[in-house]
């Protein structure tokens, strides 16, 4: 076992053949399959966490994320397919026990779904079984299974009802079923007959409604399983704006075969405000719910066109999966070309007013969409170059995990090599080998070599030479003179791999002919050779000390060769090695296999099978390389993924490197680009100065206007303050008069009340004397009455005792009679109770007899039904046995046919390889002939084009002068309209200020009114207090009347009343009681006046608000018209400028300049800056 191994750190790429291959964990993290595992990618921090699948897995089929976003289900293809559930809250994604289909042999699960509470999981198996399995996954228990389709039609999606754990939906080619789990069985609640339609996707929008998308572009609505309605988009123009409304139309029987639109609806996603739907290649429409059965299409979002993509446009990609973040802020999609895009839904909704369409952005970086064929690194920069069959070359930074540069070409790229400086790149295409500059924002070719289908190329370590393979010949070129130095011939088959020695004096190569040659790059002779004809070598490398050669091939072994002999050999395995890389420290060798795994083998090589395996890719590893500091292992595969792995020891520490690598940050910039940028900077500076001057001038104008307005406002405010002061004085005089009148009235009232008091005292004294005489007479009568009453009491007591004795005797007799009656009644009740209980027993016995008879009838019926059920079961078992036997016969026949097909394909492959060799040789011969003819033609064309260009130059200069003269009056009009806009904005500000002042005045008046109301309330309270005082005084006087015949007590009570009420200044209290009515009248009058002033102010405010609104509408209309005019003028200016620049660009970048650059390399070659 090796003490050094590789650990996945970051991966670029996406697996496309996975159902639901993109999910949001949170607002910043997405999960998608890449390579041989699933990746949890943080968009903000640009870090990844790998969720590895089982070692025996043959690939991932589908993903499913639970609604709680805690559990991830991964379906793995194998001889016996399984579903693994990962706990994402655990740091390393803790595995649960895998779910299987039980005893039935299933090779794959096509799609899966979690229940709303994340307790249950459903999985749809592939053909020919097409079984739907329902698990209680936490206990690994299969609850139910059901067959979804009888034909071989694909079932692409299954889902749970988000409001019901027990209801499921299954959609596919001619299938739409609603199933319900009850009593341990999945029962079909409804089925829609849509045999002609291929249903690609569906989504639940409510408890009983499902939206379904078809391959013909129809958007169908299923309510409780009945397909009877269809959503159709209709445009309605309202006020010059077009608004799309989606209406529900009832489907007739004849409409089932209608084709509404050619576009395929590949994905539907429901969310809180409506749903999202793909309406064609690269297009997503956002629909919002407006009423019960209608939706409005609020926005259309497109995949943007990529100027770098030449072979196939980016906007024509098919969208496979859509997912939305938990807070519904971000929408992310994945396409059939392995790209990830996203868009912020909040920005989409806020930009509804803007015309035009919204566009997606890349979620992280654009990935390769096909097999990666080439891989190379450089010494001076942390860059990685990759080439792919998708016709693109990409430059990655393995430290920052970013895509630095990428460019797409017309031809497929087979190989790539980075110069040690990282400034140049060599790419082998199907037609030519091109040497290109890595400019700041582009990859530009400056030399082409006529080498067709160059599968391998490599720069020397010093960078002064490079080697390129053409079939079975290795061409060595000088990078300085770009001339062919050597042609290394010796291989009988295609050369598959080459590598330079550290001092660039030797070159090692291997080929499909089973030969490994070591070449001397100074003489071109072979130094050593090793030929093993049965083996076809695929990878070769020098050891760390460059003394031995390591090679891998189709014989499943790793060989170490020295002096034409095989020194050591790692024993064979079932999986073939495809490529290898040797660490610079010399302690480990990494090999890539055809199954996508990476093996770490210790060096010196062991004699037994000892290695550590790292599951990295899902396809054969095509290339691998180790960075010069031994920190990272970079691998690429046919699955289109670039994997960056850390090289660590068993304790998790990185390897220590003795090399000191100095990295540089220089880049290449062409002189023309530099001049353009300098000119652009100068133009921007001039524009800045102009804008600065304009802003200063406008600020001065605004200051002047504001000062004038301030003066006007201050004058008006001073006038208003003076008028308010005068009104205040008038109010004060009125208040003083009213106070004087109140004092006079209170004095008069006090005098009247004193006179009344004296009269009352005289009358009450006379009444008291009369009442005293009456009281003495009554006392004498009272004494007499008391004596008589005592006599009567004695007589009454004697008569009472006699009556009591008589009554006691009578009631005792009655009691005896009543007890006898009670005993009789108790005996009667006992008899009646016995009779009633006997009646109840009889009724119960009758009911039991009836129930027993009914039970016997139903048991007989049940027995009959069970017998029929067992008979039907036996028949169905016989039928299933016959079916299985027929299916086995069919499978055997298919296996025989497949074996014959494989044999035929292998033979055809040999024929095609031989034919391709013949065609390559023919192309080379014809290419040599064509190049000589092309050169003669290009020289004659160049002479003609130079004459035409001189004529064009003269005409363009004349047109430029005319256009500059036309632009001057338009610029003056723009400046005038800007000044008009500024004036209108100032008027708006004035109106706002006036409104605010009026609001302040109204609030002040309201405050005054409230204070007056509080004062009135206080006066009323005072009046109530005085009234209560009077009532208390009256009650006290009424109490004194009781002591009218006792002068001492009467005097004491009057003194107490005087002591209680005299300190409150009787005269003042009485005056207040009288004056309260007048005060209330004055306050009411003042309140009425205030209400009138407030109503008048409200009317004024309303009028001013209406006038302000009218002015504001006018200003806004004028502003909008001016803005539209300015935009039109800007567009005209831009078109004029582009017209002026296009002829210049044609002069600088005409296709005729390419042959000239070949003749004079020193003029057009990029200069390093």
């Amino acid at each position: 076992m090796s003490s050094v191994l590789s650990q996945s750190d970051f991966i670029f790429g996406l697996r496309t053949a996975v159902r639901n291959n993109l999910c949001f964990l949170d607002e910043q993290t997405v999960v998608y399959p890449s390579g041989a595992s699933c990746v949890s990618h943080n968009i903000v921090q640009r870090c990844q966490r790998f969720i590895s699948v089982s070692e025996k897995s043959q690939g991932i089929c589908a993903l499913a994320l639970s609604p709680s976003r805690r559990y991830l289900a991964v379906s793995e293809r194998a001889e016996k397919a399984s579903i693994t559930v990962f706990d994402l809250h655990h740091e390393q994604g803790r595995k649960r026990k895998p779910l299987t289909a039980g005893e039935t042999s299933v090779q794959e699960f096509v799609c899966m779904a979690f229940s709303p509470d994340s307790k249950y999981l459903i999985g749809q198996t592939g053909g020919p079984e097409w079984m739907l399995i329902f698990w209680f996954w936490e206990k690994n228990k299969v609850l139910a299974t059901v067959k979804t389709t009888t034909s071989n039609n694909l079932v692409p999606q299954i889902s749970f009802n988000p409001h019901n754990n027990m209801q499921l939906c299954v959609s596919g080619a001619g299938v739409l079923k609603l199933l319900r789990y009850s009593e341990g069985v999945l029962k079909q609640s409804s089925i829609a007959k849509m045999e002609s339609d291929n249903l690609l996707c569906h989504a639940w929008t409510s408890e009983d409604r499902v939206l379904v998308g078809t391959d013909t572009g129809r958007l169908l609505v299923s309510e409780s399983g009945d397909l009877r309605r269809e959503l159709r988009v209709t445009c309605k123009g309202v006020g010059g704006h077009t608004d799309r409304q989606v209406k529900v139309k009832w489907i007739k029987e004849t409409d089932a075969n209608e084709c509404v639109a050619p576009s395929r609806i590949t994905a539907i996603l429901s969310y809180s405000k409506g749903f999202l739907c793909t309406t064609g290649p690269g297009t997503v429409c956002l629909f919002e719910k407006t009423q019960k059965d209608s939706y409005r299409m609020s926005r259309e979002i497109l995949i943007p066109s990529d100027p770098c993509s030449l072979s196939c446009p980016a906007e024509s990609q098919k969208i496979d999966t859509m997912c939305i973040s938990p807070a519904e802020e971000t929408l992310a999609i994945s396409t059939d070309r392995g790209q990830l895009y996203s868009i912020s839904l909040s920005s989409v909704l806020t930009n509804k007013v803007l015309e035009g369409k919204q566009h997606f952005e890349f979620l992280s970086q654009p990935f390769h969409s096909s097999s990666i064929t080439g891989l190379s690194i450089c010494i001076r920069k942390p860059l990685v170059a990759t080439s792919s069959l998708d016709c693109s070359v990409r430059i990655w930074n393995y430290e920052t995990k970013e895509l630095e540069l990428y460019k797409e070409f017309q031809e497929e790229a087979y190989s790539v090599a980075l110069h040690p400086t990282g400034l140049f790149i060599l790419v082998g295409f199907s037609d030519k080998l091109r040497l290109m500059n890595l400019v700041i924002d582009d990859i530009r070719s400056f030399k082409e070599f006529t080498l067709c289908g160059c599968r391998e190329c490599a720069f020397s370590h010093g960078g002064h030479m490079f080697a390129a393979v053409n079939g079975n010949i290795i061409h060595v070129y000088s990078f300085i003179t770009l001339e062919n130095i050597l042609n290394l011939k010796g291989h009988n088959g295609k050369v598959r791999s080459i590598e330079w020695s550290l001092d660039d004096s030797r070159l090692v190569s291997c080929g499909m002919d089973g030969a490994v040659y070591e070449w001397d790059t100074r003489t071109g002779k072979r130094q050593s050779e090793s030929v093993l004809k049965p083996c076809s070598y695929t990878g070769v490398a020098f050891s760390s000390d460059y003394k031995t050669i390591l090679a891998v091939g189709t014989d499943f072994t790793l060989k170490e060769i020295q002096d034409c002999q095989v020194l050591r050999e790692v024993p064979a395995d079932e999986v073939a090695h495809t490529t290898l890389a040797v660490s610079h420290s010399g302690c480990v060798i990494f090999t890539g296999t055809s199954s996508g795994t990476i093996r770490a083998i210790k060096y010196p090589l062991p004699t037994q099978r000892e290695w550590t395996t790292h599951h990295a890719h899902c396809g054969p590893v095509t290339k691998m390389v180790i960075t010069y500091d031994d920190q990272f292992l970079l691998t690429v595969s046919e699955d289109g993924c670039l994997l960056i792995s850390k090289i660590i020891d068993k304790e998790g520490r990185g390897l220590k490197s003795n090399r000191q690598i100095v990295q540089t940050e220089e880049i290449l910039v062409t002189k023309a680009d530099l001049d353009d940028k300098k000119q652009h900077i100068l133009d921007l500076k001039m524009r800045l100065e102009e804008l600065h001057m304009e802003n200063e001038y406008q600020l001065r104008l605004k200051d002047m206007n504001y000062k004038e307005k301030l003066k006007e406002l201050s004058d008006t405010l001073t006038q208003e303050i003076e008028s308010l002061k005068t009104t205040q004085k008038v109010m004060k005089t009125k208040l003083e008069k009213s106070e004087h009148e109140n004092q006079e009235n209170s004095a008069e009232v006090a005098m009247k009340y004193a006179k009344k008091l004296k009269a009352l005292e005289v009358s009450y004294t006379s009444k008291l004397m009369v009442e005293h005489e009456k009281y003495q007479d009554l006392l004498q009568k009272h004494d007499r009455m008391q004596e008589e009453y005592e006599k009567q009491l004695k007589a009454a007591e004697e008569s009472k005792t006699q009556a009591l004795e008589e009554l006691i005797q009578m009631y005792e007799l009655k009691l005896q009679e009543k007890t006898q009656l009670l005993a009789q009644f108790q005996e009667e009740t006992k008899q009646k109770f016995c009779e009633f209980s006997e009646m109840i027993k009889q009724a119960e016995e009758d009911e039991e007899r009836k129930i027993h008879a009914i039970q016997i009838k139903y048991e007989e019926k049940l027995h009959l039904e069970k017998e029929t059920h067992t008979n039907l079961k036996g028949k169905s078992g016989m039928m299933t046995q016959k079916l299985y036997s027929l299916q086995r016969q069919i499978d055997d026949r298919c296996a025989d046919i497949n074996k014959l097909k494989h044999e035929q394909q292998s033979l055809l492959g040999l024929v095609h390889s031989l034919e391709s060799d013949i065609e390559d040789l023919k192309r080379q011969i014809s290419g040599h002939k064509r190049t000589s003819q092309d050169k003669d033609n290009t020289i004659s064309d160049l002479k003609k084009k130079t004459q035409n260009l001189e004529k064009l130059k003269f005409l363009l200069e004349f047109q430029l002068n005319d256009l500059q003269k036309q632009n001057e009056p338009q610029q003056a009009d723009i400046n005038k309209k800007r000044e008009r806009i500024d004036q209108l904005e100032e008027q708006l500000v004035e109106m706002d200020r006036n409104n605010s002042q009026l609001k302040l005045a109204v609030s002040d008046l309201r405050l005054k009114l409230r204070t007056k109301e509080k004062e009135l309330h206080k006066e009323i309270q005072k009046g109530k207090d005085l009234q209560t005082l009077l009532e208390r005084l009256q009650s006290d006087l009424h109490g004194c009347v009781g002591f009218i015949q006792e002068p001492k007590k009467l005097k004491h009570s009057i003194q107490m009343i005087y002591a209680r009420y005299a300190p409150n200044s009787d005269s003042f209290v009485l005056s207040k009681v009288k004056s309260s009515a007048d005060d209330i009248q004055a306050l009411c009058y003042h309140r009425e006046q205030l209400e009138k002033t407030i109503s008048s102010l409200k009317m004024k405010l309303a009028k001013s608000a209406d006038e302000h609104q009218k002015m504001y509408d006018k200003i806004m209309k004028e502003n909008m018209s001016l803005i539209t005019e300015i935009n039109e003028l800007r567009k005209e200016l831009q078109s004029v400028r582009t017209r002026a620049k296009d002829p210049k660009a044609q002069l600088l970048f005409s296709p005729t300049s390419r042959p000239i650059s070949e003749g004079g390399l020193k003029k057009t070659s990029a200069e390093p800056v």
Side-chain angles (χ1 to χ4, degrees), residues 1057-1066:
I1057 290 163
Y1058 182 80
R1060 194 178 292 168
Y1061 298 107
N1064 292 329
S1065 62
D1066 295 333

Side-chain angles (χ1 to χ4, degrees), residues 373 414-415 433 453-458 467-470 495-498 538 623:
T373 55
Y414 294 138
S415 60
L433 175 71
C454 178
R455 299 279 177 176
E456 286 293 327
C457 59
V469 174
N470 184 13
V495 178
R496 294 293 301 272
S497 179
I498 56 172
T538 55
K623 297 287 178 185

